[in-house]
Amino acid sequence: MSIAEAIRPDLEPLFAEADAAVRVGNFPAGREGYARILEADPDSIGARVGLEFVAYVETGRKSRFNLPIEPIPERLHLARLENERSNEAEYQARRTRLLSFPSTLTLEHTTRCNFYCRHCSKGYEPYVGADLPRDLLDKVLDSLLPHAIRADITGFGEPTIGSEYGHLLERLVEAGVAPKFNTNASTLTLPHIELLVRAQGQITLSIDGATRETFEGIRAGGNWDRLMYTLHAVQRVRSIYQTAGWWGVTFVATRKNIHELPEMVRLVKRFGFDQLLAQDYQPFDVSFDTESLRGEPERANRFLDESESLARELGVELITPVRYIRGAPSPVEALIKKLLSTKRVLPKRGRFPQGCSHPWREARVNYRGEVNPCCFSWRKLGDIKERPFHKIWNGWRYRLFRWRIHTLFPPPECRLCHGFDGINRGNPGNTKLQEGILLKVLYRLEGLLERVFARRGAKVERPNYFLGKHWDPEEGTARPVPK
């Protein structure tokens, strides 16, 4: 069965009636409606989800996710909006010392993940799996929630398995701040989904395949049947509540799955998601780098064009990378070959398609309490354990970063960024092709110097997590590498 298979047309009115009944509290009518659908289509996952939801509500919503949601005071809401307007004005003026505070809090409260995907370093090496301690978590929230409109709690891990995830959700709901995060969807239950819908969360599901073989082959640790249930559950609960929350899908595009992107467009249409984001794979010196689309620009662009055409036809919002340029540096080429293939000495002016507002609009705090500019940069701009946030926010490191990001020589991590709201607009390979040999050499020297200084006084953390589980190196456990 295709992941994007449509609901039988004759059952759509029955689903609408049953959802409407549950919405107004007429649970017997809702239960009867879902049962009728199940009689007509015994394989209907949506109908089974509807019956489970009615049973959950009728038995008193006994779940840790049954949190009260109260409207925030108007004065606080207006203050947050004014801060966001000031934030935008200061970004447009490119000010480096700011009067406003970040309108988005980005918080890495865990680095642990129960998946070990092929396109992620967590699938290849043991790593430090740690959670942000509650005292530091509360210190961050106390400093930033009064100003924040949204909180992105995605770190380099699966946010829903963090030890303080429940406490974090409680704090966000209490403050009237919408939770925002990317998730592999493996832990989303009906009560969990209901809370996120009621809280008008901005949730992105990571799905890198439209077939069982591709999905489970790339997202190691994932289960196709579990994913199918979750998609139907999200659709059902959203249909019942009809709130203004936002749910999207992200798809890391590689040579292994780019041919399934059109089917992913149909998936988004089928389940009523708000957006599909096709993201460029970011190489990191592993064998999977050969799957980068930079090695097949014509094939990649053909499927991107086909998917965009289909998205327009179906009314789906699809975001794709800037089209791939032939000659963009391949991630598996040796450094000397990359330098020799560079066709210019000086960088091309205007090579970056757009600016980046992250250092103005958001602050990221990692699991150690260190403040970084964004999710793509690990650059330490301060430590919440050592200094209050307002001093870090306008400290010299932050001001220098804000100035440099829009120069011809932005920070090294920014030139590699594949975020759609970053300076490369989703395709760093294109801009690297235009930077010239002089900057390539300067970036290489800067990287060497940063590594030297990073080793001085650096605290060594022992890896304790691997392939989605706790890992103890003293037990002599083998380190299998995915094929």
Side-chain angles (χ1 to χ4, degrees), residues 35 44 58 84 116 186 216 244 288 403 427-428 448 473 480:
S44 174
E58 288 186 320
E84 186 173 48
Y116 39 103
S186 64
E216 294 184 352
F288 195 75
W403 169 79
N427 197 330
L448 292 173

Side-chain angles (χ1 to χ4, degrees), residues 32 237 282:
E32 181 182 346
V237 176
Q282 177 60 37

Side-chain angles (χ1 to χ4, degrees), residues 49-272:
V49 168
L51 289 172
E52 290 175 16
F53 184 75
V54 170
Y56 166 65
V57 174
E58 288 186 320
T59 54
R61 286 189 170 92
K62 297 175 181 178
S63 167
R64 69 187 180 109
F65 294 111
N66 184 25
L67 301 176
I69 298 179
E70 304 292 341
I72 62 173
E74 184 178 5
R75 183 178 178 182
L76 176 59
H77 178 63
L78 293 176
R80 286 172 173 168
L81 291 178
E82 179 57 34
N83 177 73
E84 186 173 48
R85 283 192 288 268
S86 176
N87 202 237
E88 170 66 16
E90 290 183 316
Y91 165 64
Q92 294 297 338
R94 297 295 195 266
R95 292 188 57 176
T96 59
R97 184 184 291 275
L98 309 183
L99 296 176
S100 63
F101 283 88
S103 56
T104 298
L105 162 62
T106 303
L107 188 62
E108 180 185 56
H109 67 100
T110 186
T111 63
R112 295 183 292 119
C113 188
N114 55 341
F115 279 23
Y116 39 103
C117 302
R118 298 292 308 279
H119 50 55
C120 176
S121 62
K122 294 186 185 297
Y124 295 86
E125 290 290 337
Y127 61 91
V128 177
D131 296 340
L132 184 67
R134 180 172 292 198
D135 60 336
L136 275 181
L137 173 61
D138 283 334
K139 185 176 182 179
V140 173
L141 296 178
D142 291 343
S143 299
L144 294 176
L145 281 187
H147 312 285
I149 289 179
R150 65 197 66 83
D152 188 339
I153 58 174
T154 307
F156 191 33
E158 168 54 40
T160 63
I161 69 172
S163 60
E164 298 298 335
Y165 174 68
H167 175 67
L168 176 55
L169 277 186
E170 287 183 25
R171 289 290 311 266
L172 296 180
V173 167
E174 181 184 21
V177 175
K180 175 184 177 183
F181 59 85
N182 286 45
T183 174
N184 58 37
S186 64
T187 68
L188 297 185
T189 60
L190 266 176
H192 193 172
I193 292 169
E194 186 199 25
L195 173 62
L196 296 174
V197 169
R198 288 169 53 228
Q200 300 192 21
Q202 300 179 41
I203 314 301
T204 301
L205 307 184
S206 298
I207 306 174
D208 299 318
T211 62
R212 181 188 298 272
E213 180 182 9
T214 301
F215 173 77
E216 294 184 352
I218 293 176
R219 300 200 69 81
N223 180 278
W224 176 264
D225 296 323
R226 174 65 191 169
L227 173 67
M228 289 294 290
Y229 175 88
T230 301
L231 295 178
H232 282 276
V234 170
Q235 182 185 39
R236 193 83 288 113
V237 176
R238 294 188 76 198
S239 177
I240 290 170
Y241 274 93
Q242 295 193 338
T243 56
W246 187 97
W247 291 69
V249 173
T250 185
F251 175 90
V252 179
T254 65
R255 293 167 67 179
K256 280 188 178 295
N257 65 3
I258 187 63
H259 63 285
E260 294 187 3
L261 184 58
E263 189 69 11
M264 292 296 297
V265 173
R266 296 185 180 94
L267 172 144
V268 168
K269 178 66 175 180
R270 159 69 178 82
F271 290 101

Side-chain angles (χ1 to χ4, degrees), residues 15 34-35 37-38 41 44-52 232 236:
F15 268 114
Y34 296 133
I37 296 170
L38 210 51
D41 181 9
S44 174
I45 300 175
R48 292 206 308 271
V49 168
L51 289 172
E52 290 175 16
H232 282 276
R236 193 83 288 113

